[in-house]
Amino acid sequence: MVELAPSPVVQSAEIPLKPESKRENFVRAYRWMLLARTLDEKLAALYKAGGKISGGVFLGTGQEALSTALGVALRKGDVFAPLIRDLAGRLAFGEPVLDATRTYLGSRLGPMRGRDGNIHRGRIAEGQMAMISHLGAMISTTAGVLLARRMRGQTGTVGAISIGDGATSTGSTHEGLNTAAVEHLPLVAVIANNQYAYSTPTSRQFACEDLLDRAKGYGYEGHSVDGTDLEACLEVLQRAVDRAREGHGPQMVVARLLRLTGHGLHDDASYVDPKLKASPVGADCLRLAEKTLLERRWAEAKDLASWKAECVKEVDEAAAQAMRDPAPDPKLEDWSALNEPEMLDLGLATRG
Amino acid sequence: MATTYLEAIRAAQAKALQDDERVFIYGQDVGAFGGAFKATKGLAAAHPGRVMDSPISEDASIGLAIGASIEGLRPIVEMQFADFSSVAFSQIVNQAATQFYRTGVPCPMVVRLPSGGTPGGGPFHSQCMEAIYAHYPGLVVMTPATVEDAYHLLLAAVELEDPVIYCEHKFLYNHLKAERLPEKSDLPPNKARVARRGRDATVVTYSAMLHEALTAAGDLSREGWEIEVVDLRVVKPIDTETILESVSRTGRMLAVGESAPWGGVTAEVVARVAADGFRFLDAPPRRLACKDTPVPYHPNLWAAHRPNAAEIARVLREVLRF
């Protein structure tokens, strides 16, 4: 039988996991952001070179501070349902770089085995939920994990879900957020208001003054944060995750930032208002974090260069490994969507 | 003391809760109230914390069940009416049905759909959804027609390591009675049952239409015809072997369902019999479904909208005389 089981988890990078000081916390988060940005750059290069990646590539450029802050605030044993632009948070939460390159490059050895691609990946057993494309769907699913744990008497873990301004308009999001609140679950809902859902500006997405107003409506504790400011994100996300863990019920974090990329690489995002790009909301969180590191003398330029070189090395190795991997082989697939072989429908017209 | 179809569903859930600590029930009004049809009556009191009222959020209810199943629990979600499962459609077909294929992590859960028409039910409390869900890879779809199957298929559904759509017919809830519930089912969940032996034609059907077909078969026997009736029990997978074996003896086949006539289970059965049983056939395989309108409200219209014994007998006579 072929190896169809996902390969074992390999912890990514030698980035320290238990920082004590504010500086260490900031540096550690910055390095996750840098790793995510570097991996995004690699994926973009592979996409543009053509022939390597089937389907789209969806970057998290500009959202790394927020996403990382969520990833580092979570612990092993928590549950995280990321969305499109959460590469940084996924890495910080423990996703190996190799999972990303393998899923984008369609390796048979990746967690999705070529059956799903790009951002649709996860390791459910590790608490890394595998998102479906339907926005808001993962909220109630994450709530279900938390509810089951409570029913079994398991406490102390939290669940985090990530959505954007666009997903706040779906019925699934409404139902999921409300259901989690009714059950008073330790859920942290992080809304990245990145100003555009594909090409649709927020003025065509919702009419309330601030999405944070919805926190009160749903019965969540609400937190607002500047998504370009890593320090603020670290503080606010840690507080939200801590509040959920301590039993204060569901938390909602609304971050203001700008998506610094198209919806995918196929999209030049020419519709983005230049005034927004030039405004503080359009700042690049990674560059701002570097500025902070240098200004506070938490790092020197040579440190930044050396960390970048480490990221490039890790990313290049992961991409090269994924390209060496075997591609999925239709002849080796079992073509079964059920776990129970005796319930397969043997009379179906799959052979013509 | 006879057991009704509805009581069998309740008894199966009581047994599942009793025997398997992973099982819990979630749905609108299923808690202290006992469910809109009383299918969970008394279960919340007997199993505190394991029979829970949900908000009116079908999408989130299925999402929540998926998450709970990931954690090793065995959720049974009651949709108040099958019709409202359309609100949960995305979670059922996009997440529950795809999870095992995508991730290798199974998604065992049962979604109970109180299905089918009753007089006065109208367009939004009468739908049959089995064909919709059977269309999607990754789901098992059950359609019990008898009290015994209502009980044993529901228990089997809880045990299966895959998501199961369990379509229980509301018209049978209180009409249908059995003297006692057998300890074990005589058939595994992937087998159809020959509900009546015959030699002249085969009717393939399921759910409430089984009883109309059996009545038609009884009527035709007085005319000298012996009709075999196959109860599919489960429509995904379809037990094609049992159907073909029957058609190989009778040479004629009519598929009957209560669902809308475009596509669906009856079309699938006809396609299989035509493709794989052509050599057995002495007449074109036929199908009979409800009319191509929403399910009407008034009892007169409702009764004429769905196939009934007289209509089945009429089509069978055409099949027999071909």
Side-chain angles (χ1 to χ4, degrees):
Chain A
M1 194 56 201
V2 230
E3 329 159 44
L4 278 171
S7 54
V9 175
V10 184
Q11 192 62 248
S12 161
E14 296 94 52
I15 296 173
L17 287 172
K18 289 271 168 69
E20 301 305 323
S21 72
K22 197 170 178 181
R23 173 188 169 277
E24 280 174 10
N25 203 27
F26 192 95
V27 167
R28 177 184 65 154
Y30 166 77
R31 292 181 67 185
W32 286 123
M33 291 170 68
L34 188 63
L35 182 61
R37 181 69 63 92
T38 308
L39 179 49
D40 267 351
E41 288 163 354
K42 183 72 182 179
L43 293 168
L46 290 168
Y47 175 83
K48 285 172 183 157
K52 303 270 194 255
I53 292 176
S54 306
V57 171
F58 306 89
L59 307 184
T61 321
Q63 300 191 193
E64 293 95 338
L66 176 68
S67 187
T68 296
L70 177 57
V72 299
L74 297 172
R75 296 179 190 156
K76 194 168 173 55
D78 289 340
V79 188
F80 178 32
L83 213 70
I84 309 182
R85 307 189 199 286
D86 277 310
L87 178 57
R90 290 173 189 252
L91 294 170
F93 185 58
E95 179 183 81
V97 171
L98 201 49
D99 277 11
T101 58
R102 279 176 159 163
T103 306
Y104 265 107
L105 289 157
S107 160
R108 194 169 87 206
L109 306 182
M112 311 311 281
R113 301 162 290 168
R115 294 178 176 193
D116 207 343
N118 51 64
I119 49 175
H120 302 99
R121 60 178 193 268
R123 290 178 184 269
I124 290 178
E126 306 289 325
Q128 302 163 20
M129 304 295 269
M131 60 171 277
I132 68 167
S133 301
H134 298 65
L135 296 173
M138 304 312 295
I139 302 172
S140 54
T141 306
T142 304
V145 170
L146 299 172
L147 181 75
R149 288 180 176 182
R150 185 170 72 197
M151 287 174 74
R152 283 201 319 242
Q154 182 187 344
T155 54
T157 66
V158 308
I161 66 97
S162 177
I163 56 172
D165 43 284
T168 63
S169 308
T170 73
S172 245
T173 294
H174 170 69
E175 290 194 8
L177 289 175
N178 180 61
T179 294
V182 166
E183 293 294 346
H184 199 70
L185 293 169
L187 183 83
V188 180
V190 180
I191 302 172
N193 180 358
N194 68 9
Q195 314 304 322
Y196 290 88
Y198 206 150
S199 76
T200 304
T202 52
S203 61
R204 302 297 305 164
Q205 203 64 246
F206 53 85
C208 58
E209 199 173 318
D210 188 331
L211 286 173
L212 193 66
D213 297 342
R214 297 193 183 176
K216 185 163 178 57
Y218 284 121
Y220 282 56
E221 291 186 354
H223 313 259
S224 198
V225 69
D226 173 357
T228 68
D229 181 343
L230 175 59
E231 191 170 27
C233 287
L234 286 169
E235 190 191 316
V236 170
L237 269 297
Q238 190 64 56
R239 184 162 65 234
V241 169
D242 288 348
R243 293 285 295 170
R245 206 182 300 281
E246 289 159 7
H248 299 287
Q251 309 288 311
M252 181 181 290
V253 179
V254 177
R256 192 153 184 267
L257 41 77
L258 180 67
R259 192 188 73 204
L260 300 182
T261 173
H263 170 59
L265 285 172
H266 56 277
D267 170 24
D268 68 5
S270 53
Y271 45 80
V272 173
D273 184 349
K275 287 203 284 285
L276 262 179
K277 286 194 220 176
S279 75
V281 82
D284 181 345
C285 58
L286 189 73
R287 298 286 95 84
L288 289 183
E290 283 166 1
K291 198 158 157 270
T292 303
L293 283 169
L294 296 172
E295 277 174 4
R296 295 186 188 172
R297 299 185 180 281
W298 283 353
E300 294 176 28
K302 68 172 172 47
D303 298 321
L304 301 189
S306 131
W307 294 336
K308 177 70 180 178
E310 282 174 36
C311 290
V312 169
K313 182 166 179 288
E314 181 176 4
V315 163
D316 284 351
E317 281 172 8
Q321 176 63 55
M323 281 188 273
R324 281 195 304 273
D325 282 354
D329 181 345
K331 293 196 290 294
L332 298 177
E333 283 280 310
D334 61 8
W335 296 108
S336 167
L338 293 180
N339 192 28
E340 298 272 10
E342 68 272 24
M343 295 310 284
L344 292 173
D345 196 330
L346 304 176
L348 285 166
T350 51
R351 292 178 307 277
Chain B
M1 168 87 176
T3 303
T4 64
Y5 183 92
L6 178 64
E7 285 161 359
I9 290 166
R10 187 195 157 280
Q13 293 180 104
K15 182 168 167 56
L17 285 164
Q18 187 68 45
D19 293 356
D20 188 342
E21 62 181 16
R22 302 170 302 171
V23 172
F24 75 100
I25 299 175
Y26 190 67
Q28 293 157 31
D29 305 300
V30 300
F33 184 65
F37 296 100
K38 301 295 167 205
T40 57
K41 188 181 171 187
L43 298 182
H47 302 279
R50 293 171 67 197
V51 184
M52 287 177 281
D53 288 336
S54 72
I56 304 177
S57 297
E58 288 84 2
D59 180 289
S61 295
I62 298 298
L64 186 127
I66 294 166
S69 88
I70 284 171
E71 279 295 299
L73 298 190
R74 291 292 167 123
I76 300 173
V77 180
E78 177 181 304
M79 289 286 150
Q80 199 153 80
F81 286 81
D83 314 48
F84 300 121
S85 74
S86 54
V87 180
F89 184 67
S90 181
Q91 291 282 22
I92 294 172
V93 307
N94 290 312
Q95 187 158 212
T98 66
Q99 182 175 290
F100 174 69
Y101 180 73
R102 288 182 298 123
T103 68
V105 175
C107 189
M109 56 186 282
V110 181
V111 186
R112 285 182 39 236
L113 303 187
S115 305
T118 52
F124 311 115
H125 295 75
S126 303
Q127 294 170 26
C128 292
M129 309 284 281
E130 69 281 355
I132 302 284
Y133 294 114
H135 180 73
Y136 279 84
L139 299 171
V140 170
V141 183
M142 298 181 169
T143 51
T146 66
V147 176
E148 295 84 350
D149 276 346
Y151 182 74
H152 285 293
L153 285 177
L154 185 46
L155 288 174
V158 172
E159 280 181 22
L160 285 174
E161 295 282 344
D162 285 305
V164 178
I165 308 297
Y166 177 93
C167 306
E168 53 196 57
H169 202 295
K170 301 194 297 292
F171 190 67
L172 305 179
Y173 271 168
N174 298 309
H175 278 50
L176 208 58
K177 293 186 175 71
E179 276 315 305
R180 46 178 276 282
L181 290 171
E183 282 279 304
K184 281 193 169 8
S185 178
D186 55 335
L187 289 172
N190 59 357
K191 293 304 284 181
R193 172 180 287 112
V194 177
R196 180 189 172 108
R197 286 277 167 192
R199 61 162 196 269
D200 299 318
T202 300
V203 175
V204 178
T205 188
Y206 58 98
S207 191
M209 283 296 129
L210 171 69
H211 306 285
E212 300 294 330
L214 288 171
T215 304
D219 292 346
L220 287 173
S221 77
R222 286 187 282 280
E223 298 171 23
W225 302 108
E226 287 308 321
I227 306 299
E228 181 144 312
V229 179
V230 174
D231 171 12
L232 290 175
R233 302 170 74 235
V234 171
V235 298
K236 182 76 177 284
I238 289 177
D239 176 7
T240 315
E241 201 181 24
T242 296
I243 297 171
L244 290 176
E245 194 280 322
S246 175
V247 175
S248 75
R249 286 185 284 101
T250 63
R252 292 162 204 270
M253 199 282 295
L254 169 67
V256 180
E258 188 181 325
S259 279
W262 199 97
V265 175
T266 55
E268 184 67 31
V269 169
V270 166
R272 293 183 193 201
V273 168
D276 300 331
F278 190 74
R279 65 190 182 282
F280 306 136
L281 289 169
D282 299 321
R286 294 277 301 269
R287 53 193 287 257
L288 185 59
C290 73
K291 296 195 192 308
D292 193 25
T293 68
V295 185
Y297 158 77
H298 194 277
N300 293 352
L301 298 179
W302 171 77
H305 176 266
R306 70 203 288 257
N308 58 27
E311 185 73 358
I312 294 167
R314 183 185 66 73
V315 179
L316 274 173
R317 284 187 200 100
E318 290 177 12
V319 169
L320 290 161
R321 287 172 190 149
F322 181 86

